[in-house]
Amino acid sequence: MGEQMPDADLAAVQNPYTPPAQLADIAARRSDLHPLLLSHPGCYPALREWISQVNPAARPIPAEGYPVPAGSYPISTGAPLPPPRRSRVGCFLIGCGGMALVALVVVGVFVAGAVLSTPGGDSDPGPDAGAPVTGDPASAFEAERTRFYDLAAQLDGNPVAPLVTRTAEFERLEKSMAAPGITDERAAQLAQSAQTAREELEQRIADAEARRTNASGSVTEGIVDEAGAGFIDIAWDAATACATSQNTDEGRFTAGCVSEDPLAVHLAPEDQLPGDMGMRVVVLHELTHLYQRADSDAHPDGVSRATQLVDQGYFQGSSESMADCYALTYLDQWTLTFENRTMGYGYVCGEEERGLIRRWAAEVNAPLP
């Protein structure tokens, strides 16, 4: 009997960082994987609805290796939280991992952003996506395409550019527009979707310009603004925006998480974190999760470099330990204990893994001193 070939689609569905566009492609080809797809963090509402229509019997089945879907390490009692110093950013929690020991935890949470396409690469939001397109649909689409990529070019070199521009989703619109035998009605829908994508990107760029000043004057906001040039928001609302820990009896608390739509870092108030170095570790750990997700979105048809490193066993095979290693490398620190409180997973990476972090950071444009 010959050796069984690995199932690349199954591996992708079991990887929580597989981008939505790839999930849609798998869903169109592999009905046997629909139950696992329904359990995937990146399975967006339109894809869920499509699966339920074409395969009503499919029910979610948790995939082996997914992160624990609730905060493993919550927040201890402390002073009442002040209101966010920026406009409130909420998030829909779909999965998280923790950063903790003794009394502190950072939870990494990703939110699957809305996508512009549905299974088969031949669908999109449809008639409700923006104002109706007038004139020749092909010309209208090409005009929007040019404007979209001119805007996207403004984010060249930004580590979260794939999450902001959502270029992979726009490329699916291009693929659909180039399909042979496309009808005028279908072309008009795609031109309308392209217009919506361009308008949304325009708005995200305008919002970023308004956020580029460190309004609070805080250490954490300064790091976030420097990292994302205003495209990453920040709020000090971890107690409400992040998953609640199940281990409060151990004195642990949730110090942070991230959301993708809106793109934001959610932290505990700085006075609840262990000093200057501790708050820097927390925010850098969380920013790493956004860089990891951006890395994944930049490879919609393959595996991201971050996932490759983790799958090869580096960083103890954990994206959370990789986030710790990025923070330690950035700060040139060799401990996760600050002011008698230990953070992270108890794993301090060595020189080899720090070298891998430096190379990965250069590839994804993540800042390192």
Side-chain angles (χ1 to χ4, degrees):
M1 181 181 295
E3 182 179 355
Q4 185 176 4
M5 295 295 292
D7 189 332
D9 288 340
L10 176 60
V13 174
Q14 291 177 327
N15 177 3
Y17 296 107
T18 298
Q22 187 176 351
L23 297 179
D25 179 65
I26 294 172
R29 295 183 287 100
R30 296 287 299 274
S31 61
D32 59 309
L33 295 180
H34 285 175
L36 289 178
L37 283 161
L38 289 171
S39 301
H40 194 281
C43 186
Y44 51 96
L47 180 55
R48 290 181 187 279
E49 182 179 355
W50 183 85
I51 291 176
S52 68
Q53 291 174 353
V54 301
N55 190 0
R59 295 292 183 272
I61 298 176
E64 182 179 356
Y66 277 1
V68 178
S72 299
Y73 310 96
I75 192 162
S76 61
T77 57
L81 295 178
R85 282 168 276 185
R86 287 190 180 180
S87 58
R88 175 64 176 272
V89 286
C91 65
F92 175 66
L93 305 180
I94 60 173
C96 61
M99 174 189 176
L101 272 181
V102 184
L104 186 66
V105 55
V106 178
V107 179
V109 180
F110 289 117
V111 180
V115 296
L116 294 175
S117 52
T118 49
D122 206 21
S123 300
D124 59 89
D128 58 347
V133 172
T134 58
D136 176 44
S139 298
F141 185 92
E142 184 59 29
E144 292 295 346
R145 177 185 176 280
T146 299
R147 295 176 68 185
F148 176 87
Y149 283 110
D150 284 346
L151 290 168
Q154 297 181 31
L155 280 91
D156 286 350
N158 191 299
V160 294
L163 302 178
V164 177
T165 63
R166 301 173 185 173
T167 303
E169 298 166 12
F170 198 90
E171 288 172 350
R172 289 177 67 84
L173 294 179
E174 293 177 291
K175 181 179 177 181
S176 296
M177 193 69 178
I182 186 171
T183 66
D184 288 343
E185 180 181 5
R186 176 69 179 140
Q189 289 178 352
L190 291 169
Q192 194 169 303
S193 294
Q195 175 184 322
T196 299
R198 185 264 305 164
E199 290 172 346
E200 290 177 349
L201 180 54
E202 246 173 8
Q203 185 60 54
R204 287 191 287 271
I205 290 174
D207 292 343
E209 290 174 352
R211 280 197 299 258
R212 284 176 184 158
T213 302
N214 185 348
S216 68
S218 64
V219 170
T220 50
E221 183 172 354
I223 293 172
V224 169
D225 286 344
E226 181 181 359
F231 286 98
I232 306 171
D233 205 347
I234 185 171
W236 295 265
D237 60 353
T240 55
C242 303
T244 302
S245 172
Q246 300 173 356
N247 299 310
T248 51
D249 56 337
E250 298 177 9
R252 304 180 183 185
F253 71 97
T254 301
C257 65
V258 297
S259 60
E260 192 178 323
D261 193 4
L263 195 62
V265 172
H266 306 269
L267 300 176
E270 290 186 349
D271 60 8
Q272 294 183 13
L273 303 176
D276 179 79
M277 194 60 69
M279 68 178 70
R280 291 174 187 272
V281 168
V282 172
V283 71
L284 289 168
H285 175 106
E286 292 305 334
L287 284 170
T288 307
H289 287 311
L290 292 180
Y291 305 153
Q292 290 168 334
R293 186 56 187 263
D295 188 10
S296 179
D297 279 16
H299 299 83
D301 299 321
V303 180
S304 71
R305 180 58 175 155
T307 299
Q308 290 177 15
L309 291 171
V310 170
D311 287 349
Q312 289 168 9
Y314 292 109
F315 317 111
Q316 296 188 315
S318 166
S319 60
E320 297 288 348
S321 291
M322 182 179 179
D324 279 348
C325 190
Y326 175 84
L328 292 171
T329 304
Y330 187 105
L331 299 167
D332 193 23
Q333 291 291 308
W334 293 88
T335 180
L336 286 168
T337 301
F338 305 99
E339 297 192 357
N340 298 317
R341 287 190 284 177
T342 302
M343 306 162 60
Y345 290 87
Y347 178 71
V348 177
C349 57
E351 284 291 0
E352 180 186 7
E353 289 175 321
R354 291 177 188 229
L356 293 173
I357 285 290
R358 292 185 186 96
R359 287 194 287 275
W360 172 72
E363 291 174 10
V364 301
N365 299 310
L368 273 180

